[in-house]
Amino acid sequence: MSALTIIKSIIGWVYFACWSLSFYPQVYLNFKKKNTKGLSHDFLFFNFTGFFFYSVFNSVLYWDKAVQQEYIEKYAPPIPVHPSDVAFAIHAFGMNLFIILQCIIFYKNSGNQKISRVGGGLCILLWIAATVVTILGFAKVVSWLWVIYFYSYVKLFITFVKYVPQAYVNYKNKCTGGWSIGSVLFDFAGGVLSLVEMFLDVADTSNWKVFTGDPVKIGLSLLSIAFDILFMIQHYILYRHNNNTTTNKNKDNLENVINEIKDKNNNNNKEQQNINIETPGINIDIEK
């Protein structure tokens, strides 16, 4: 095994670690706040769809010998999918399911956030299209390499689309509260290292088709880096004065108290009344 191969392997697993760790700050933040406010549910739905198809793409291209032969005949060696790519995709899909579970558990405390009609409709269309393509694969109308590449393009498209709702939520709230900057930093590091790994593949084989043979991997890296830079600008520059953790926590606690009072009033079906809640610097009147 050459030194370059060893370096590629190390970088591949480090990028896997960075991209995988990018999920955990968000999980911790949700548990800490006991809500998912500030986290776009469209983003999660897109992630669920994208990582499912990306997991299938990586798994089939890494393990299926027939599909690998199709790839080699078209692009020449090496196979661009590494064990770290398969591990990352499957782990990311599982972690996204876990965050969706958090959304369900903390739904009542999260302002009744929902998936938008546009986001939900777009994902449904992608699932329908992928189902049709899969049927064409079983019918041998198209090759399985073509089928899994369609899956990978679904992931690439979603990677571009999924960040837009979160960027808009940050813009609308004029803060990045509820969206973990730790996740962004890990994601950025993973994107850079993934690019480095692909360039090392080229250096090792002198085959630039590594990029055309796996356009999704390079696309994921470039899009992740670009949007992560945008999120860092929002967090550290544009809305840095609005991201005070203590202030956001007090607001969340206050809103939880308000929601509890509203529920009590609705359950008891009392006459119309005004409830005045006072906190330092904040006066809120709730009218049933």
Side-chain angles (χ1 to χ4, degrees), residues 40-53:
S40 169
H41 286 197
D42 281 11
F43 176 83
L44 293 177
F45 194 21
F46 284 135
N47 252 357
F48 171 83
T49 301
F51 280 121
F52 173 81
F53 288 114

Side-chain angles (χ1 to χ4, degrees), residues 184-219:
V184 173
L185 297 177
F186 277 124
D187 192 54
F188 179 79
V192 172
L193 291 172
S194 179
L195 275 181
V196 172
E197 183 190 42
M198 294 194 76
F199 277 109
L200 289 178
D201 274 339
V202 172
D204 192 27
T205 61
S206 299
N207 181 9
W208 285 93
K209 287 185 178 180
V210 167
F211 291 107
T212 57
D214 194 358
V216 175
K217 188 172 181 179
I218 187 172

